[in-house]
Amino acid sequence: MEKYMPYIKNSLVEKKFLVAALAAVVLAAAAVFNDLLEVSRTKELLEYGYHSTLALKACQSSVYRIALPVICMLPCSFSCVDEVKSGFIKEYLPRTGYRNYTVGKILACVLSGGLVPVCGAWLFYGMSAMVLTPREAALAEGATAEDYLAKFVVLCGLLFLNGALWALAGMAAGMMGGNRYMACAAPFIIYYMLVILCERYLPKLYVLYPAVWLGPAEEWPFKETGLIIWLAELVILFALLFARIAERRLRNL
């Protein structure tokens, strides 16, 4: 694992990762802007755990879902294409080898793409807790508090897998086309193609409907567990697809 750490560190310490994470926070706030505006105007106490429900609502909103394919590919998805275009890869590959380079890029892409929405979600959750908790009413005597934190942790797992999936999709597309613009556009295009396909032509094929990948439909087998397994399979599929494309392209340099 140590031999892959340089790839991972490079993807996490770049400014692009920080910009993407901050963009995720802004998008979460924009998704619940009306709720925040209403809270700022009211003088009454908020219900207990309001900051948690607000964070869950923001990170499961359509605004957050639609933006995921765009922000998650920023840290790492077009790094391979840039290295090929610049000629850097010709000097670097003999030192690392094809396999180490490919696996390192996959791990870096999965971690950076997955952590972008997770970091954004936790930052928004923390800010919501600091600002709104003092304004929340105390838990009623004898009442049992709902475990919002457990729900948020599960949601972060789904966010991570969604982010990793879209980042890998962008990296695979960019490597296939040899163009960084394909890496940028492909995740968003795939997202909307799947949405149109499921909404207009195959409404019962909900497993391919990305709008429910942050909260499973009622028909989804095993609920969150089934959804996590499905997303993990898609992540592995795109990782293998990228590895296949990268092997062919890099060996022809």
Side-chain angles (χ1 to χ4, degrees):
M1 189 66 183
E2 186 178 352
K3 57 188 175 183
Y4 304 127
M5 289 306 296
Y7 301 96
I8 297 172
K9 288 180 180 178
N10 288 339
S11 65
L12 296 180
V13 300
E14 288 191 0
K15 292 182 180 179
K16 290 182 288 186
F17 179 83
L18 178 60
V19 170
L22 293 177
V25 178
V26 173
L27 288 164
V32 290
F33 177 77
N34 291 334
D35 299 84
L36 293 172
L37 190 62
E38 186 177 346
V39 167
S40 66
R41 291 174 177 174
T42 185
K43 296 181 179 179
E44 299 178 358
L45 287 176
L46 304 172
E47 62 181 13
Y48 178 82
Y50 182 81
H51 68 279
S52 298
T53 58
L54 186 69
L56 287 168
K57 180 180 179 181
C59 296
Q60 289 180 309
S61 64
S62 59
V63 173
Y64 210 71
R65 289 196 308 265
I66 293 171
L68 282 182
V70 179
I71 62 174
C72 293
M73 62 83 196
L74 288 175
C76 193
S77 290
F78 44 78
S79 61
C80 291
V81 177
D82 289 345
E83 290 170 0
V84 171
K85 291 287 186 181
S86 65
F88 170 78
I89 195 70
K90 294 181 180 179
E91 303 294 331
Y92 192 66
L93 271 181
R95 300 179 182 180
T96 61
Y98 293 98
R99 182 177 180 182
N100 289 343
Y101 178 82
T102 303
V103 175
K105 282 297 182 181
I106 290 173
L107 291 176
C109 192
V110 167
L111 288 174
S112 61
L115 287 175
V116 163
V118 172
C119 289
W122 277 110
L123 286 171
F124 182 77
Y125 186 92
M127 290 189 292
S128 301
M130 286 190 295
V131 175
L132 299 177
T133 299
R135 298 187 55 190
E136 293 177 6
L139 185 65
E141 187 176 351
T144 303
E146 191 171 351
D147 195 354
Y148 292 111
L149 186 59
K151 289 184 177 181
F152 197 76
V153 170
V154 172
L155 175 60
C156 284
L158 295 174
L159 284 171
F160 181 89
L161 290 172
N162 274 271
L165 171 62
W166 296 125
L168 282 172
M171 191 165 69
M175 203 62 167
M176 181 183 295
N179 191 315
R180 67 180 306 176
Y181 298 107
M182 284 192 66
C184 297
F188 190 74
I189 293 172
I190 294 172
Y191 180 94
Y192 260 98
M193 286 179 63
L194 290 175
V195 168
I196 293 172
L197 176 68
C198 293
E199 288 186 351
R200 295 187 180 181
Y201 305 107
L202 299 170
K204 294 184 179 180
L205 197 60
Y206 56 87
V207 294
L208 293 179
Y209 189 38
V212 300
W213 287 354
L214 291 179
E218 291 298 323
E219 301 87 356
W220 202 289
F222 308 112
K223 301 297 181 182
E224 283 83 1
T225 304
L227 180 54
I228 288 172
I229 294 172
W230 168 244
L231 290 173
E233 289 175 350
L234 290 179
V235 168
I236 294 171
L237 177 64
F238 273 98
L240 294 175
L241 177 63
F242 168 77
R244 182 64 174 171
I245 295 170
E247 181 182 6
R248 287 185 176 182
R249 186 169 179 82
L250 294 178
R251 291 190 183 277
N252 291 329
L253 290 176

